[in-house]
Amino acid sequence: MLAIRTEQLTKYYGKARGILDVDLEVRTGEIFGFLGPNGAGKSTTIRLLLDLIRPTSGHAEVLGLDAHRDRLAIDRRVAYLPGDLSLYGDLTGAQTLHYLGNLRGGVDTTYRDELVRRLELDPSSRIRSMSRGNRQKVGLVAAFQGRPELLVLDEPTSGLDPFVQLEFERLADEARREGRTSFISSHMLPEVEHLCDRVGIIREGRLLAVESIATLKERALRRLEIEFASPVPPDAFRDVPGVRDLRVDDARLSCTVMGSLDALVKAAAGFEVRGIRTQDTSLEEIFLAYYGAGPEAPHAAA
Amino acid sequence: MLLRSVFTKTVRDLRWPTFWTALALFVGGGYFTLLYPTYATQFKLTELLDQLPAAMKALIGAQVADVSTATGFLNIELFPMILPAVLAGFAIALGSGATAGEESRGTIDVLLSYPVPRWLVVTQKAAAIVLSVVVVAAGLWVGAVLGAAASNSPLDSGRVAEALVMAALLALDFGSIALLLASGTGNRGLGIGVSVALLVVMYFVNALAPVISGLDSVKQASLFFWYLESNPIRHGISIGDSLVLAAVAIALFLASLVAFERRDLAA
């Protein structure tokens, strides 16, 4: 079963486009990263999934249920952390968690206390006087405390210090091991790349691509320099699979390799190798290399 | 603990505004009944009123009041204008803030991601507002009764209560107008502005209807007409008029549920 499925999901705000024809599938039990620059339509998509706004056209299903018609049944099983989180300023952190827990019909307070401890949240101060990072912690505890089947987290790591970020990743990973699903938006791939199973990128309201992190890593581009003991013939490397931007100057070869290095290494093995230097590119760069030029650019998996 | 439901949370949110407004009306009610004997003897109220021009008497509601008792004195001092203005203003402030307040503060996203239907959120908030308006109206009643007892003034506490029910219904009408506009648009200022404008216009339409012939034919469009027509503090509550006021409030409330249900909520 799919945790989230949208079909041609489209939202216009007046004449301004929110999102256009978004077809999205999030599998049960995975951590899905929803990536895109600010204003690309991430929050619009998420608020459509939660029935806070209604689509201009298209359709959304959450946990196999209709996002609008079955909203209550969905909300019993889903937790949501808004992107620009606002809580009740006059309540303390503890009161906020108590109130939101009650709206869910009561939660396991032992688990809540554990979350508060792990995120090092001081729940006794008022939301109004909390720093942005502490408010975000309250939001995270509120989202996790009911052990929902699906966590929809809009920019969950914004404002968090590195320690809390790490603890958040552990929590999301624990949820995954319990078979629960997380849908996490971010405008920074590095913040979520080691956490997510798959990522989708949205830009200017269109979903450009969905890839598994593993596939992206296979596509990893590496700058490579090989130094040989004596000059090598360029033709020996020209047709090696995955090799691009090949340059051979006497005994020095430089190129970019996409994916596996195996073929190139085997080709080089016919000569005496003095040294190899490589430089990895980040997934962010890969994504931008593939999809960076916007919706008009050719893309493999959109 | 007042954080069990949207209703109890709203009661909690409204506790101080409700307390202070109730206290103000408690003091107001007490003031007039406590000082009634002084006014009655020193200012010769009955003769004073008789000297006023008809238009002035209409504006302050004096043509229907009998100031020979503290009840009638309250009727002329508070019930035609000050009390409905305060109660309705209070209800407008609360009605416009019910859901639009959560929207402008940005908390609506969190609230409605929990398994509570939108209509139930509006209903629970409206119920808390009704409770607040009742408490505030009761503040005046308690003040008036204590003031009358202290000054040994003649006061028909039952009639005062009946008139307060009518005033509370009138206030809830204006609160519902504000609720409908604010929850239907997310714009709290629109809810307040239009409701207050209607409050002022409707007050003058009804108050001046006896002296301006053109207004007499449209006075039934004014909610103040239904509030004051039967002179409730003198003759008791009018079932028919109170039903009109209640029906208006209920219809506007139901319209708010529909309007809020259909909307895209502000991010």
Side-chain angles (χ1 to χ4, degrees):
Chain A
M1 196 192 71
L2 291 168
I4 295 172
R5 192 173 73 88
T6 70
E7 219 174 285
Q8 306 264 288
L9 194 62
T10 299
K11 178 66 182 177
Y12 279 87
Y13 295 106
K15 280 187 176 171
R17 188 215 57 249
I19 59 168
L20 190 64
D21 291 338
V22 169
D23 293 313
L24 185 67
E25 294 193 343
V26 176
R27 299 167 193 149
T28 302
E30 74 175 336
I31 300 181
F32 188 97
F34 193 46
L35 297 164
N38 292 322
K42 299 188 298 287
S43 295
T44 298
T45 307
I46 287 173
R47 298 183 83 239
L48 284 165
L49 294 175
L50 287 147
D51 194 43
L52 293 164
I53 53 176
R54 312 281 162 63
T56 309
S57 63
H59 181 76
E61 280 180 15
V62 179
L63 301 171
L65 300 165
D66 183 278
H68 174 59
R69 213 183 42 238
D70 304 319
R71 192 207 124 206
L72 286 189
I74 291 170
D75 284 347
R76 278 187 204 106
R77 298 159 62 187
V78 174
Y80 164 52
L81 178 72
D84 194 9
L85 176 66
S86 295
L87 297 167
Y88 302 99
D90 60 323
L91 298 187
T92 65
Q95 287 172 326
T96 303
L97 295 171
H98 176 69
Y99 178 51
L100 296 178
N102 283 338
L103 292 181
R104 197 170 275 294
V107 297
D108 173 6
T109 53
T110 322
Y111 185 53
R112 172 198 300 165
D113 295 343
E114 182 196 321
L115 290 168
V116 167
R117 200 175 54 249
R118 285 174 62 180
L119 292 173
E120 296 192 348
L121 168 69
D122 171 13
S124 64
S125 54
R126 285 187 197 284
I127 298 290
R128 187 185 294 124
S129 60
M130 281 187 186
S131 69
R132 183 168 149 66
N134 280 333
R135 275 202 288 268
Q136 192 73 358
K137 288 183 195 174
V138 176
L140 283 171
V141 176
F144 278 92
Q145 69 176 348
R147 292 184 186 274
E149 281 172 59
L150 170 64
L151 288 143
V152 178
L153 310 172
D154 195 355
E155 303 270 357
T157 53
S158 68
L160 295 183
D161 62 49
F163 161 77
V164 184
Q165 162 126 13
L166 210 63
E167 198 56 47
F168 159 71
E169 285 168 12
R170 284 195 198 107
L171 288 171
D173 190 50
E174 285 168 21
R176 172 167 51 192
R177 273 186 266 131
E178 291 166 18
R180 302 189 277 132
T181 312
S182 298
F183 183 77
I184 299 175
S185 86
S186 176
H187 61 282
M188 304 273 288
L189 180 58
E191 283 197 351
V192 293
E193 67 176 58
H194 43 283
L195 184 62
C196 295
D197 302 298
R198 295 194 303 150
V199 290
I201 189 162
I202 186 169
R203 182 167 284 221
E204 292 175 14
R206 291 169 190 266
L207 186 67
L208 295 183
V210 175
E211 296 285 5
S212 72
I213 292 285
T215 307
L216 279 179
K217 283 184 172 157
E218 275 169 29
R219 290 200 184 150
L221 295 170
R222 264 170 284 219
R223 292 291 307 163
L224 207 74
E225 277 185 24
I226 306 177
E227 219 174 297
F228 295 97
S230 53
V232 291
D235 286 348
F237 299 95
R238 215 176 298 283
D239 297 323
V240 173
V243 170
R244 303 169 166 188
D245 312 327
L246 179 69
R247 269 187 62 189
V248 179
D249 296 324
D250 295 336
R252 181 189 295 265
L253 174 151
S254 71
C255 64
T256 308
V257 182
M258 192 184 91
S260 170
L261 294 178
D262 187 59
L264 179 66
V265 169
K266 284 187 171 136
F271 308 91
E272 188 186 342
V273 176
R274 283 248 173 93
I276 298 181
R277 272 208 308 273
T278 79
Q279 190 190 353
D280 281 11
T281 49
S282 72
L283 294 190
E284 184 94 348
E285 287 170 89
I286 302 164
F287 237 128
L288 291 175
Y290 273 82
Y291 310 111
E296 296 81 21
H299 42 78
Chain B
M1 193 74 176
L2 281 175
L3 294 168
R4 299 199 67 80
S5 65
V6 176
F7 171 72
T8 55
K9 163 79 162 55
T10 311
V11 169
R12 183 184 183 280
D13 291 343
L14 299 179
R15 67 199 191 282
W16 291 115
T18 303
F19 172 78
W20 289 115
T21 314
L23 183 67
L25 286 184
F26 171 86
V27 170
Y31 172 84
F32 285 112
T33 50
L34 197 60
L35 295 183
Y36 170 73
T38 318
Y39 273 91
T41 51
Q42 292 206 344
F43 296 97
K44 299 191 169 40
L45 284 168
T46 315
E47 293 114 85
L48 200 67
L49 282 175
D50 282 343
Q51 291 163 12
L52 289 176
M56 191 58 124
K57 281 171 87 171
L59 259 184
I60 61 174
Q63 76 276 23
V64 291
D66 163 21
V67 291
S68 65
T69 65
T71 316
F73 185 53
L74 270 187
N75 194 11
I76 189 168
E77 290 289 349
L78 286 177
F79 278 81
M81 188 162 77
I82 295 176
L83 173 70
V86 171
L87 267 188
F90 181 69
I92 286 169
L94 269 43
S96 64
T99 60
E102 298 242 14
E103 262 185 279
S104 59
R105 283 192 298 273
T107 50
I108 198 82
D109 260 43
V110 169
L111 177 59
L112 286 178
S113 72
Y114 284 81
V116 187
R118 287 191 189 186
W119 67 264
L120 192 56
V121 168
V122 179
T123 303
Q124 294 189 66
K125 283 182 175 285
I129 291 170
V130 171
L131 180 65
S132 279
V133 169
V134 169
V135 167
V136 166
L140 186 137
W141 187 85
V142 173
V145 168
L146 290 180
S151 65
N152 213 6
S153 303
L155 184 79
D156 187 337
S157 58
R159 283 284 188 262
V160 172
E162 288 181 67
L164 280 168
V165 169
M166 295 294 279
L169 286 172
L170 178 78
L172 290 174
D173 283 351
F174 285 101
S176 309
I177 294 169
L179 175 71
L180 173 61
L181 291 169
S183 63
T185 63
N187 186 339
R188 191 172 182 189
L190 178 82
I192 294 175
V194 173
S195 320
V196 169
L198 278 172
L199 177 74
V200 172
V201 168
M202 284 186 172
Y203 172 76
F204 280 107
V205 164
N206 184 63
L208 296 176
V211 286
I212 298 178
S213 54
L215 289 178
D216 207 50
S217 52
V218 296
K219 68 182 180 190
Q220 292 186 336
S222 167
L223 291 164
F224 275 85
F225 170 80
W226 301 101
Y227 161 54
L228 286 173
E229 178 215 19
S230 63
N231 197 2
I233 202 166
R234 212 164 167 189
H235 304 124
I237 206 163
S238 149
I239 299 296
D241 291 354
S242 61
L243 285 179
V244 169
L245 293 175
V248 168
I250 290 167
L252 289 165
F253 163 70
L254 293 175
S256 312
L257 298 186
V258 175
F260 189 61
E261 191 67 45
R262 303 164 72 101
R263 273 189 54 230
D264 281 355
L265 300 173

